[in-house]
Amino acid sequence: MELEPLVILAALLSGAVVGLFLGTFGGGGSVLAAPLLIYAVGVKDPHMAIGTSAAAVAAIAAVSLIGHWRAKRVKWPCAGLFALAGIAGSVVGSQLALRVDGTWLLLAFAVAMGAIGLSMFRRPKGLGDPDVHITAAIMARIVPLGLLTGLAAGFFGIGGGFLIVPGLMMATGMTLSNAMASSLVSVALFGATTSANYAFAGHVDLPLAGLLLAGGAVGGVAGVQVARALAGRTALARKGFAAMIVGVAGYVGWNALLGIAATS
């Protein structure tokens, strides 16, 4: 699309919002990227919005990951294996999504958003092993969970952090803080794989993705600082964020239903 000044500003601010939430919570923020592209930036094609947002989210997650890496919160062996297992799933999921009508895909996306928001109301376990090391038993749990999470992330064009964080905790027993940081490895790789599939189909706007990344880089750095500041109040902030996601899901779903009704 044509990059007019208002479009550029909207894309930069959208990227900053996504980066802020990705850096703060390690998941959930990426689900806002496609709706922001459609309703704030003005992208008309849902497939283009999802493909472009996946590319930007992958890069934003990578930027956010640097801060957590420096703080030594990332459990690389566990995070890497989870991500590698999920890449195959994200390839299959994104190929399936490209074959679904854009309006129906938005409706499915809205349902997934609602599920994400509601799942974030649950109280996550803060306890765990901060010194977890990968074992054969952990590997046997990580691989299938990573595969399924990658499938969902690829189909809906999201990073999948809301699934990756509890998945890593369940499979390895690591702490919530470690899981939030480690999840960004998968968010980055799943997004990159999904966007590559969409790019081959002509559904990625690289200049727009670059603007999202520019905004997201700033938001991601700020998010890491916010995560540190909210160390004792993460649960309350997470609930407020979850409520916002549920509200956006309702808006996206309603518009999708109107679009379906108009063409039927």
Side-chain angles (χ1 to χ4, degrees), residues 26-55:
S30 60
V31 80
L32 294 173
L36 283 169
L37 280 177
I38 293 171
Y39 301 112
V41 180
V43 176
K44 303 299 182 185
D45 180 7
H47 286 112
M48 182 67 74
I50 290 175
T52 301
S53 67

Side-chain angles (χ1 to χ4, degrees), residues 73 75 78 126-134 138 169 172-176 178-179:
R73 299 189 191 101
K75 297 297 182 181
C78 296
L127 301 177
D129 181 7
D131 299 314
V132 64
H133 296 286
I134 198 161
I138 287 177
M169 294 177 70
T172 69
M174 68 174 63
T175 66
L176 174 61
N178 290 140

Side-chain angles (χ1 to χ4, degrees), residues 39-89:
Y39 301 112
V41 180
V43 176
K44 303 299 182 185
D45 180 7
H47 286 112
M48 182 67 74
I50 290 175
T52 301
S53 67
V57 163
I60 292 170
V63 172
S64 300
L65 177 63
I66 295 172
H68 290 285
W69 183 6
R70 288 176 175 170
K72 299 182 178 179
R73 299 189 191 101
V74 182
K75 297 297 182 181
W76 284 101
C78 296
L81 182 60
F82 193 101
L84 288 174
I87 286 175

Side-chain angles (χ1 to χ4, degrees), residues 34-235:
L36 283 169
L37 280 177
I38 293 171
Y39 301 112
V41 180
V43 176
K44 303 299 182 185
D45 180 7
H47 286 112
M48 182 67 74
I50 290 175
T52 301
S53 67
V57 163
I60 292 170
V63 172
S64 300
L65 177 63
I66 295 172
H68 290 285
W69 183 6
R70 288 176 175 170
K72 299 182 178 179
R73 299 189 191 101
V74 182
K75 297 297 182 181
W76 284 101
C78 296
L81 182 60
F82 193 101
L84 288 174
I87 286 175
S90 63
V91 170
V92 175
S94 54
Q95 285 290 348
L96 289 173
L98 284 167
R99 289 162 171 76
V100 177
D101 176 77
T103 307
W104 283 99
L105 185 60
L106 271 185
L107 181 60
F109 187 88
V111 172
M113 279 192 76
I116 291 168
L118 292 174
S119 74
M120 292 181 74
F121 280 107
R122 293 183 302 178
R123 187 184 185 88
K125 295 179 181 178
L127 301 177
D129 181 7
D131 299 314
V132 64
H133 296 286
I134 198 161
T135 63
I138 287 177
M139 290 174 66
R141 293 192 294 268
I142 279 183
V143 171
L145 283 171
L147 185 65
L148 290 173
T149 303
L151 181 68
F155 184 80
F156 295 111
I158 56 178
F162 76 103
L163 289 173
I164 299 166
V165 171
L168 282 170
M169 294 177 70
M170 183 189 307
T172 69
M174 68 174 63
T175 66
L176 174 61
S177 175
N178 290 140
M180 288 168 61
S182 299
S183 72
L184 291 170
V185 178
S186 291
V187 172
L189 290 178
F190 292 173
T193 303
T194 299
S195 65
N197 259 342
Y198 274 81
F200 283 126
H203 293 301
V204 172
D205 187 324
L206 287 177
L208 200 54
L211 289 171
L212 285 175
L213 171 58
V218 176
V221 171
V224 172
Q225 301 304 316
V226 171
R228 187 176 295 118
L230 290 176
R233 297 184 294 275
T234 303

